[in-house]
Amino acid sequence: MSTPLKGRTAIVTGAGRGLGRAEALELARLGANVIVNDYGLPGRDGTGGADATPAHQVAEEIRTAGGTAIAHTGDVADHEQAAQLVQAAIDTYGRLDILVNNAGILRDRMIFSMTEDEWDSVIRVHLKGHYNTTHFAARHWRERAKASGAPVFGRIVNTSSEAFLAGSAGQPNYAAAKGGIVGLTTSTALALAKYGVTANVICPRARTRMTEDVFAGFAEPAEGLDPLAPEHVAPLVGYLVSPAAANVNGQLLVVHGGMVAIVERPRVRAKFDTAKEVFTYEELDALLTPHYKERPPTETFAAAEVLSLKRD
């Protein structure tokens, strides 16, 4: 069995269930020491002792399969607890090599019905949670690179969503957070490249506890692996954090159901210059109104066509 991550240490957040669990298991299968992070009560149903949390259960699953793992139950959206998570990797295994940010929640609502708390909580867990762990991991890698005088091995995989790409009408908080994560990733990719660190972002589609309502209308097949199974996503994460992906940096990839799509960066569709020193309302009206007149009203900056992507 190939173990390209042997000797590497990885953090996976939100790894007690769903996508994060599948990713943690895959990284362990590829040889990594895994810190399984998941914030929550003991036991999947809120019962059991301190070692019965979802994070502990997945860590035990990894160890039973012959891998190496510990659990961490801190809240990544809390700055100090995120620092403790990164420090746990360093204290236990000597260093951190891989960070997979997956933790998140949903509070779906139309923009006119959304409460302030529904907005703040989703932004906090997704966007701030990604920032917190990335901040402390980046500091660790920068300090190591400066101490050694050479680049180190560092990999970040962040989790965005097709909700950002397609403009999900019922998820303004989630879409905004996921769009922010893309910006965070591309900025981080440029900032850390000189230290030997790559940062990429995936838009996965998977049936998990968090998305069970979203995919309620998509029945699981009677036979074979569910096209929405998290196991379709985990191998791409394993690749992106491996030495083989050294030249993959600042990229956005959509993944689900046996398919990986590389999303092109935005491109300029049209450009207009003023014939005078500065635009006037009348000049803009003459230029932009005809340009948009024939465009379908549903054609926006959002790329709704990504929702139709599937394995051929």
Side-chain angles (χ1 to χ4, degrees):
M1 182 180 70
S2 177
T3 54
L5 302 183
K6 187 174 180 59
R8 308 291 186 187
T9 296
I11 288 173
V12 183
T13 73
R17 305 175 178 88
L19 270 175
R21 173 183 170 274
E23 292 163 351
L25 292 175
E26 176 68 3
L27 299 195
R29 189 187 70 81
L30 295 175
N33 309 310
V34 183
I35 293 84
V36 180
N37 165 265
D38 198 90
Y39 179 64
L41 296 172
R44 295 181 188 274
D45 57 358
T47 62
D51 59 351
T53 66
H56 284 90
Q57 292 171 351
V58 174
E60 179 59 28
E61 190 175 356
I62 290 172
R63 291 192 293 268
T64 299
T68 306
I70 62 168
H72 183 275
T73 57
D75 178 6
V76 294
D78 181 283
H79 202 60
E80 290 307 312
Q81 292 183 52
Q84 293 164 11
L85 171 59
V86 172
Q87 193 60 47
I90 299 167
D91 291 344
T92 305
Y93 299 112
R95 69 184 189 209
L96 174 66
D97 302 290
I98 296 160
L99 172 63
V100 179
N101 283 310
N102 173 74
I105 60 171
L106 287 181
R107 298 290 185 269
D108 292 353
R109 197 85 64 184
M110 300 294 281
I111 188 63
F112 41 76
S113 302
M114 183 165 289
T115 66
E116 182 180 16
D117 181 66
E118 288 167 341
W119 173 271
D120 288 347
S121 61
V122 169
I123 297 296
R124 176 182 180 271
V125 175
H126 287 274
L127 186 53
K128 188 182 179 187
H130 273 62
Y131 156 73
N132 283 342
T133 53
T134 300
H135 168 75
F136 290 108
R139 286 181 58 174
H140 169 65
W141 288 322
R142 181 172 179 265
E143 289 167 3
R144 279 176 50 202
K146 286 196 167 187
S148 67
V152 299
F153 181 97
R155 297 285 188 269
I156 300 171
V157 174
N158 289 331
T159 307
S160 184
S161 170
E162 292 169 297
F164 151 67
L165 290 172
S168 179
Q171 298 179 301
N173 49 2
Y174 184 68
K178 292 306 191 181
I181 287 168
V182 174
L184 170 66
T185 305
T186 54
S187 174
T188 301
L190 292 175
L192 299 185
K194 65 181 179 180
Y195 302 118
V197 179
T198 66
N200 294 287
V201 60
I202 62 171
C203 292
R205 190 186 303 178
R207 193 191 309 274
T208 68
R209 190 181 68 158
M210 190 178 83
T211 62
E212 59 186 356
D213 292 337
V214 176
F215 296 121
F218 296 84
E220 296 187 42
E223 296 181 0
L225 186 63
D226 182 358
L228 292 172
E231 286 74 16
H232 287 294
V233 176
L236 175 62
V237 174
Y239 166 75
L240 290 174
V241 303
S242 74
N247 294 324
V248 185
N249 193 31
Q251 301 298 307
L252 189 153
L253 303 98
V254 176
V255 54
H256 58 81
M259 181 217 72
V260 173
I262 300 171
V263 178
E264 186 74 88
R265 68 184 186 276
R267 295 188 179 276
V268 176
R269 174 166 180 158
K271 176 179 175 289
F272 301 95
D273 297 319
T274 180
K276 304 172 185 178
E277 184 177 2
V278 64
F279 275 116
T280 63
Y281 167 83
E282 291 77 14
E283 187 180 15
L284 289 169
D285 180 24
L287 291 170
L288 298 182
T289 300
H291 177 77
Y292 283 106
K293 186 175 182 179
E294 302 303 324
R295 289 185 74 175
T298 56
E299 185 180 324
T300 70
F301 186 77
E305 62 271 19
V306 299
L307 298 179
S308 63
L309 289 172
K310 62 181 181 179
R311 180 183 177 186
D312 293 332

